[in-house]
Amino acid sequence: MKKLIVAASCVLALIAGAAHAQERNLRIAFDVPYEPFEYKAEDGSLTGFEVELAEAMCEEMKANCEFVIQAWDGMIPGLLARKFDLIMSSMSITDERAERVLFSEPYYNTPGGWFARDGFSTDVTDMDAMKGKVVGVQRGTTMDTFVTENMGGIVTIKRYTTADDMVLDLEGERLDVVFVDYPVGEQTILTKEGFKEVGEPVKLGQGVGVAMRKRDTDLAKDVNAALATLKDNGTYDKIMTKYFKYDIKM
């Protein structure tokens, strides 16, 4: 009987050990504030479209997730240095970035938008008219790349670590116009009196994906499966409609 009890105890220990070994602990990085995708609520808690989507994704994957706040220009270096395991912070999929990180399937796509004060009347597509204008972008974004490649040497480009700092300089008349992820401009600029959208939105990149280290192929499969399930079961749409008036799904 004692041998049976010991054997049973060993089996239970092995099962418990296996279950513990299968637990997945993940750290997910966000650039905050970047409303409505990720920002702090009045009570200090982290919220936003991508935050809620990450929570649902982690639940679907049965993973224990810790959220990490990381400045945008340190995102990929921090991932490669193992400070966190995933980037889920409106990172557009580009060929250049794909050389360094592994992307999930894209989970949304929004254009870049031009925003300025009400008195701004310049055509942002007219390079002669834009000459000498001061344009604000967030450093290291696809908006930064677009302005650098298409307007470098024509306009003065001011790069910011956070979208909030950029908006403050637009309000303080230190910028003529900003080029930013459209929903960010919509919710942080157009909600203020005296500002407007100028020009047409510009589609950039191949959509936004979750970024991981190149070798984390199994993790990428699980992330893709979880996001697909959330889209199929309506969870994605429920979260999306909470933050957007239009469909941003790929």
Side-chain angles (χ1 to χ4, degrees):
M1 179 63 72
K2 288 183 179 179
K3 289 182 179 179
L4 288 174
I5 292 173
V6 171
S9 298
C10 290
V11 171
L12 290 172
L14 286 170
I15 293 172
H20 180 73
Q22 289 174 3
E23 285 184 0
R24 175 177 275 162
N25 298 303
L26 297 172
R27 294 160 297 168
I28 304 177
F30 300 93
D31 171 32
V32 177
Y34 201 64
E35 191 174 352
F37 297 100
E38 40 266 342
Y39 59 97
K40 287 188 176 180
E42 291 183 2
D43 62 2
S45 62
L46 198 59
T47 189
F49 168 73
E50 285 180 297
V51 173
E52 289 201 29
L53 186 61
E55 290 171 341
M57 182 185 76
C58 290
E59 184 176 349
E60 182 64 31
M61 293 169 61
K62 296 180 172 55
N64 301 312
C65 291
E66 175 188 353
F67 293 165
V68 178
I69 295 176
Q70 169 65 54
W72 180 257
D73 54 5
M75 276 292 185
I76 291 180
L79 176 69
L80 299 180
R82 303 189 66 82
K83 291 182 179 180
F84 35 83
D85 306 297
L86 306 97
I87 299 170
M88 200 165 177
S89 190
S90 297
M91 181 167 281
S92 295
I93 301 168
T94 65
D95 293 339
E96 181 181 3
R97 288 172 180 159
E99 291 179 359
R100 304 179 67 193
V101 302
L102 176 63
F103 279 107
S104 70
E105 293 295 322
Y107 58 90
Y108 86 79
N109 193 14
T110 56
W114 297 94
F115 301 90
R117 294 182 300 278
D118 280 345
F120 185 86
S121 58
T122 304
D123 179 356
V124 293
T125 65
D126 184 340
M127 293 302 102
D128 288 334
M130 284 293 290
K131 189 172 183 179
K133 300 294 184 186
V134 184
V135 179
V137 293
Q138 190 173 6
R139 184 181 293 108
T141 62
T142 50
M143 279 68 70
D144 182 0
T145 300
F146 179 87
V147 172
T148 300
E149 291 179 351
N150 292 278
M151 298 181 171
I154 298 170
V155 302
T156 298
I157 305 171
K158 290 192 69 175
R159 297 176 175 87
Y160 296 82
T161 300
T162 70
D164 271 10
D165 288 342
M166 182 171 59
V167 173
L168 285 174
D169 269 9
L170 181 64
E171 290 180 301
E173 300 187 18
R174 291 176 287 277
L175 294 172
D176 293 304
V177 62
V178 301
F179 189 46
V180 67
D181 205 350
Y182 189 89
V184 176
E186 184 180 44
Q187 296 199 25
T188 64
I189 299 174
L190 293 185
T191 53
K192 302 176 186 294
E193 187 175 352
F195 295 88
K196 65 181 181 179
E197 177 186 357
V198 296
E200 295 294 326
V202 182
K203 283 283 187 178
L204 301 169
Q206 306 161 40
V208 166
V210 182
M212 293 153 278
R213 287 179 287 275
K214 282 279 195 177
R215 66 183 181 186
D216 290 337
T217 54
D218 287 342
L219 176 58
K221 290 177 183 177
D222 291 343
V223 166
N224 283 330
L227 290 174
T229 297
L230 295 176
K231 288 182 178 181
D232 289 342
N233 67 17
T235 301
Y236 180 100
D237 287 341
K238 183 177 180 181
I239 297 171
M240 179 183 67
T241 54
K242 180 177 177 180
Y243 292 96
F244 304 101
K245 299 175 183 177
Y246 42 83
D247 192 344
I248 66 170
K249 191 162 47 179
M250 290 294 296

